[in-house]
């Protein structure tokens, strides 16, 4: 897996470093939270696209 280096955020005027991923085994609870978070993100993206499509058709 490739991890990007730091990048500059002009809005906050600071350098951002990526979070480190731990390769330790995840607990089942952490995996459940990850799945729920992914499902939530998919739903947010679906709603956003529907909103954009609705506004674009007017």
């Amino acid at each position: 897996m490739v991890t990007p280096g730091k990048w500059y955020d002009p809005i906050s005027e600071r350098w951002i470093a990526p979070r480190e991923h731990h390769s330790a085994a995840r607990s089942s609870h952490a995996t459940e939270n990850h799945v729920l978070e992914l499902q939530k993100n998919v739903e947010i993206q679906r709603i956003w696209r529907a909103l954009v499509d609705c506004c674009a058709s007017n």
Side-chain angles (χ1 to χ4, degrees):
M1 182 167 97
V2 176
T3 55
K6 292 182 179 179
W7 67 92
Y8 185 73
D9 178 20
I11 296 173
S12 65
E13 297 181 344
R14 63 186 178 112
W15 286 93
I16 308 293
R19 293 182 182 167
E20 293 184 21
H21 295 287
H22 299 286
S23 59
R26 291 183 172 182
S27 68
S28 63
H29 183 68
T31 303
E32 288 175 17
N33 287 342
H34 182 69
V35 169
L36 291 174
E37 191 67 27
L38 285 175
Q39 289 173 342
K40 184 172 107 176
N41 287 340
V42 167
E43 184 66 10
I44 289 169
Q45 289 175 359
R46 185 190 67 78
I47 292 169
W48 178 255
R49 286 186 189 124
L51 179 63
V52 169
D53 290 344
C54 178
C55 293
S57 65
N58 288 334

